[in-house]
Amino acid sequence: INKSFLQLWRYENEVEVLGKNVFEFWQDKENITEIVENLGSKNKWSGERIAKRKDGTTFISQIMANYLTDNDGNPTHFLGSFIDITEKKVADEKLIISEKKYRNFFEKDISGDYLSTHDGRLLDCNPAFVKILGYESKDEMLNINTAEFYVTISDREQFLNDLKKNKHLFNYEFNFRKRDGTIINCIENVYGLFNDEDELVQIQGYLLDITEKKRLQKEIKDYQVHLEHIIEQRTNELINSEEKFRQLVQSTDDIIFTLNSDLVFTGVYGQ
């Protein structure tokens, strides 16, 4: 045994270890028996097992084991190397949990989320992205280059130029073409992933279909223009009416008066 073994199992010196049965260093003796049996048939084994230290605490060990044989091929010694991978396993578990949470969010997100290469090859997308662009399934979309979604080639080129320049784009508005040819208005937050040479490698985007919002905004704007036209028309009619009334007063010798709804004089005109 070497110093690393003593440190892993927290023994003071090799005297404490030599002479002990190998099963004493592991939590589950049955699993160690399995290793011995595999070594007997294959002369080597690798895998993970839970080790038990001198103080009773445990750690996860990566094991690589071999049998050493004599000239006749008979096993004489067991040779093993061990690595404490506890922190790695904990990190892996956290990563798995994080990925599950992300995947759950990704799948349920109402925005169309996607990941593509710089040249448009779609790597992944969520159901909302499939629905927004009118496709049947994610598998169908993964066979399509994202460049096909743009209405014109220049739109795609402008998008890439803006992304390369700014690294990310927020509230970026553009038009996409759906599977059936319908043009939709979209708004997107997009992030560029760049390599060490500052070359665009991947594109990660989150988009919303704002076609209906744009339609309503146009209706409101058109209605405002219509109201302004009516107000202008009514104002002109009122001005013309007042001008005609003034001309009438100036051209007659009769007395003209106006009353309000309570029959109160509001004006008297004429000689």
Side-chain angles (χ1 to χ4, degrees):
I1 60 173
N2 60 6
K3 290 182 179 180
S4 295
F5 183 95
L6 296 175
Q7 291 173 352
L8 280 178
W9 271 267
R10 296 179 182 172
Y11 284 91
E12 296 295 329
N13 54 64
E14 63 181 25
V15 175
E16 293 183 273
V17 177
L18 296 178
K20 288 182 178 291
N21 190 290
V22 68
F23 292 109
E24 296 183 36
F25 301 98
W26 305 95
Q27 186 178 60
D28 192 337
K29 295 181 179 180
E30 292 182 1
N31 285 332
I32 301 305
T33 302
E34 179 188 345
I35 296 175
V36 175
E37 291 174 351
N38 274 275
L39 282 171
S41 60
K42 301 178 182 178
N43 289 338
K44 62 180 180 179
W45 187 90
S46 64
E48 300 172 6
R49 289 293 184 266
I50 299 177
K52 183 173 67 174
R53 297 188 179 98
K54 177 184 176 181
D55 59 9
T57 59
T58 60
F59 66 94
I60 303 172
S61 175
Q62 174 70 45
I63 308 170
M64 289 167 282
N66 295 84
Y67 258 146
L68 298 181
T69 59
D70 59 21
N71 293 333
D72 297 325
N74 299 313
T76 59
H77 296 83
F78 166 85
L79 177 65
S81 61
F82 313 95
I83 302 174
D84 182 355
I85 59 170
T86 306
E87 290 186 3
K88 177 181 181 300
K89 295 293 288 186
V90 171
D92 288 345
E93 287 296 325
K94 289 181 178 179
L95 180 61
I96 291 172
I97 294 173
S98 176
E99 288 178 343
K100 285 182 178 179
K101 288 181 178 179
Y102 172 77
R103 175 56 60 177
N104 186 51
F105 170 79
F106 184 76
E107 295 295 334
K108 294 181 179 179
D109 191 10
I110 62 171
S111 67
D113 306 342
Y114 71 92
L115 177 68
S116 75
T117 60
H118 71 285
D119 56 359
R121 183 167 59 88
L122 196 60
L123 301 175
D124 199 2
C125 66
N126 68 347
F129 188 78
V130 177
K131 182 179 180 180
I132 287 173
L133 289 166
Y135 284 82
E136 295 295 329
S137 67
K138 172 181 172 179
D139 290 338
E140 181 184 10
M141 294 203 74
L142 292 179
N143 294 318
I144 300 172
N145 192 292
T146 57
E148 297 183 26
F149 303 145
Y150 290 84
V151 178
T152 65
I153 296 176
S154 61
D155 288 344
R156 168 73 176 175
E157 292 174 346
Q158 183 64 52
F159 165 75
L160 290 175
N161 289 335
D162 291 341
L163 183 57
K164 290 175 181 178
K165 178 181 178 182
N166 299 292
K167 308 302 182 184
H168 54 257
L169 303 171
F170 295 140
N171 296 326
Y172 190 84
E173 293 193 23
F174 59 96
N175 294 331
F176 257 180
R177 190 189 308 277
K178 295 178 65 173
R179 183 189 185 197
D180 62 4
T182 304
I183 304 300
I184 58 175
N185 307 120
C186 296
I187 188 168
E188 176 180 28
N189 286 345
V190 59
Y191 302 84
L193 304 177
F194 296 81
N195 61 19
D196 294 338
E197 284 72 40
D198 202 35
E199 297 171 330
L200 180 62
V201 177
Q202 292 183 347
I203 300 170
Q204 189 172 355
Y206 310 86
L207 65 87
L208 292 171
D209 180 358
I210 58 170
T211 306
E212 181 65 13
K213 177 183 176 182
K214 286 286 189 180
R215 184 187 67 80
L216 292 174
Q217 286 177 337
K218 185 177 184 304
E219 284 188 1
I220 292 172
K221 184 177 180 180
D222 290 345
Y223 186 67
Q224 287 175 336
V225 172
H226 176 65
L227 286 179
E228 290 172 359
H229 176 71
I230 292 176
I231 292 172
E232 182 181 3
Q233 186 178 31
R234 295 293 184 268
T235 301
N236 290 334
E237 290 176 354
L238 180 59
I239 293 173
N240 292 334
S241 177
E242 290 178 346
E243 177 63 21
K244 289 179 180 178
F245 181 76
R246 187 183 63 81
Q247 292 176 357
L248 175 63
V249 170
Q250 292 177 349
S251 63
T252 183
D253 292 330
D254 296 333
I255 296 175
I256 299 175
F257 58 88
T258 57
L259 304 173
N260 63 17
S261 59
D262 296 324
L263 302 181
V264 175
F265 284 101
T266 58
V268 179
Y269 313 91
Q271 301 297 327

